[in-house]
Amino acid sequence: MGLPSILRIRKRNTPSSTDSSAPSSRASKEKEERPAAGSLPPSSTTYNAQNANISQAAIKRATRLRRGFAISASCSYLISFVFLILILIGNTYNKPVLNDIYFFKLNLADIIPTSVENASLINSIAQTIGLHDFYQVGLWNFCEGYQDVGITYCSHPKTLYWFNPVEILMNELLSGATIALPTEVVTILDVLRVTSQLMFGFFLTAAVLNLLMIFASPLAVYSRWWSLPIAVLAFVSTLLVVAASVVGSVISFVFKYAAEAQQELNIHADVGVKMFVFMWIATGFALWAFIAHAGMGCCCVSRRDIRTGRREVRNGVVQDQTSPRVG
């Protein structure tokens, strides 16, 4: 064989440089196309970049509904707090407005019925020795007075106060003497004491929580994560206001019917209309604020939803990330 033939055979058996470099070039190309670990896909990166460039005006438009609910809840807590304050300060002092806010009012002006002989004389004697025409009860104390004069005395405000009619009458008619009370009366007074003190604590705690929620409610606009603790506080506040209002209403109406059920005595009782209305107005606004916060926990777009790409704003319309793209 000649030298040229040998060279041609060796050239055919030796792999070319282009063939040897082909696998490495394909591997490098695949490595470039494969996304790095922990990085977002190109489409997701583009999506977040678009949301990052959204103007503040667009974010405000997108979160308008959520902001409206948050402001509504904050204003509701403000109104509820104002009425709770009126409940707390009602009947504490002999002032033109405060002395009309009470839970119930006992009228003992003619405690001895006219059917009894010498009823007028007995009633006059009772007033002479210390019995007043009426007693009205607030959250902190009680006030007493005469029909033709008005309120003459209000007891000093006391924490966890409860109205004990037996003690007051014994102090005024019997100069502080003690008498043995039936077991049924003692039981009723114990129940009255516990429920009155619970009502006191509920109203006071609810007022503090409502004051806090006035400033905490707007935070729900920024993220759903803020809505969770705020909704829990809203539920606790609403529960306390509802429980306090129910207890206050029950005590007032029970006193009214129990006092007027005594046929041998001419006792009248009135439920405080203003106190009753204030209690349930505060309850209604606190309940609406809780509903608003509970709704924001699962509905309405937050600022964080837009910034993190969970929701997209296109042409002023909020859409889910999984929504089909148009155009």
Side-chain angles (χ1 to χ4, degrees):
M1 295 176 64
L3 182 60
S5 299
I6 295 173
L7 291 175
R8 283 196 298 272
I9 294 172
R10 182 174 297 177
K11 185 176 181 181
R12 282 198 302 269
N13 294 334
T14 304
S16 63
S17 60
T18 59
D19 293 340
S20 61
S21 62
S24 62
S25 64
R26 285 196 299 269
S28 62
K29 185 176 181 180
E30 292 177 356
K31 185 175 181 182
E32 291 176 359
E33 293 178 352
R34 188 184 303 118
S39 62
L40 294 174
S43 61
S44 179
T45 304
T46 305
Y47 181 86
N48 290 334
Q50 293 175 353
N51 280 333
N53 295 328
I54 296 176
S55 64
Q56 290 294 324
I59 293 177
K60 287 184 177 181
R61 286 195 300 269
T63 59
R64 183 183 302 164
L65 182 60
R66 189 178 187 88
R67 187 169 63 254
F69 277 116
I71 295 174
S72 174
S74 182
C75 294
S76 297
Y77 280 119
L78 176 61
I79 297 174
S80 180
F81 175 73
V82 170
F83 282 100
L84 287 175
I85 291 297
L86 291 174
I87 294 171
L88 291 174
I89 65 176
N91 202 67
T92 50
Y93 299 99
N94 185 15
K95 301 294 182 181
V97 176
L98 301 182
N99 55 20
D100 290 332
I101 305 174
Y102 52 85
F103 288 104
F104 59 90
K105 182 177 183 179
L106 296 177
N107 188 350
L108 310 179
D110 298 315
I111 190 171
I112 304 301
T114 55
S115 58
V116 177
E117 186 178 359
N118 297 323
S120 300
L121 178 60
I122 298 174
N123 287 325
S124 299
I125 294 174
Q127 291 183 358
T128 302
I129 62 178
L131 185 66
H132 291 73
D133 287 347
F134 64 85
Y135 298 84
Q136 60 186 43
V137 181
L139 193 65
W140 297 79
N141 61 342
F142 78 95
C143 295
E144 61 187 11
Y146 299 99
Q147 291 182 345
D148 55 346
V149 176
I151 294 177
T152 57
Y153 170 77
C154 288
S155 63
H156 186 72
K158 180 181 178 182
T159 306
L160 299 177
Y161 172 77
W162 68 287
F163 181 68
N164 187 347
V166 176
E167 180 182 4
I168 293 173
L169 293 178
M170 286 193 302
N171 288 335
E172 294 191 347
L173 297 179
L174 303 178
S175 301
T178 58
I179 58 176
L181 298 175
T183 305
E184 295 80 4
V185 176
V186 175
T187 302
I188 293 173
L189 291 177
D190 288 339
V191 173
L192 177 62
R193 174 179 56 82
V194 173
T195 53
S196 298
Q197 291 176 350
L198 284 175
M199 177 183 65
F200 182 95
F202 288 166
F203 272 128
L204 192 61
T205 307
V208 175
L209 285 179
N210 281 12
L211 178 61
L212 176 64
M213 293 298 293
I214 294 173
F215 305 99
S217 292
L219 296 177
V221 176
Y222 296 95
S223 172
R224 295 178 192 271
W225 289 106
W226 279 107
S227 295
L228 178 60
I230 292 176
V232 172
L233 288 177
F235 174 75
V236 174
S237 174
T238 305
L239 183 63
L240 291 174
V241 178
V242 171
S245 298
V246 169
V247 173
S249 301
V250 169
I251 290 178
S252 300
F253 282 102
V254 166
F255 253 102
K256 174 179 174 60
Y257 290 116
E260 295 181 350
Q262 305 298 322
Q263 299 297 331
E264 64 275 8
L265 296 176
N266 187 26
I267 301 177
H268 299 284
D270 299 317
V271 175
V273 176
K274 291 185 178 180
M275 181 71 81
F276 186 83
V277 172
F278 291 169
M279 286 191 298
W280 289 105
I281 289 178
T283 301
F285 279 100
L287 181 60
W288 161 247
F290 166 67
I291 294 174
H293 281 298
M296 285 188 288
C298 59
C299 307
C300 304
V301 180
S302 66
R303 289 175 174 264
R304 186 174 181 273
D305 290 338
I306 298 175
R307 291 196 175 103
T308 58
R310 186 177 179 180
R311 296 292 181 91
E312 181 183 8
V313 179
R314 292 202 304 270
N315 299 326
V317 180
V318 180
Q319 300 180 4
D320 292 334
Q321 188 173 353
T322 57
S323 300
R325 296 177 179 270
V326 180

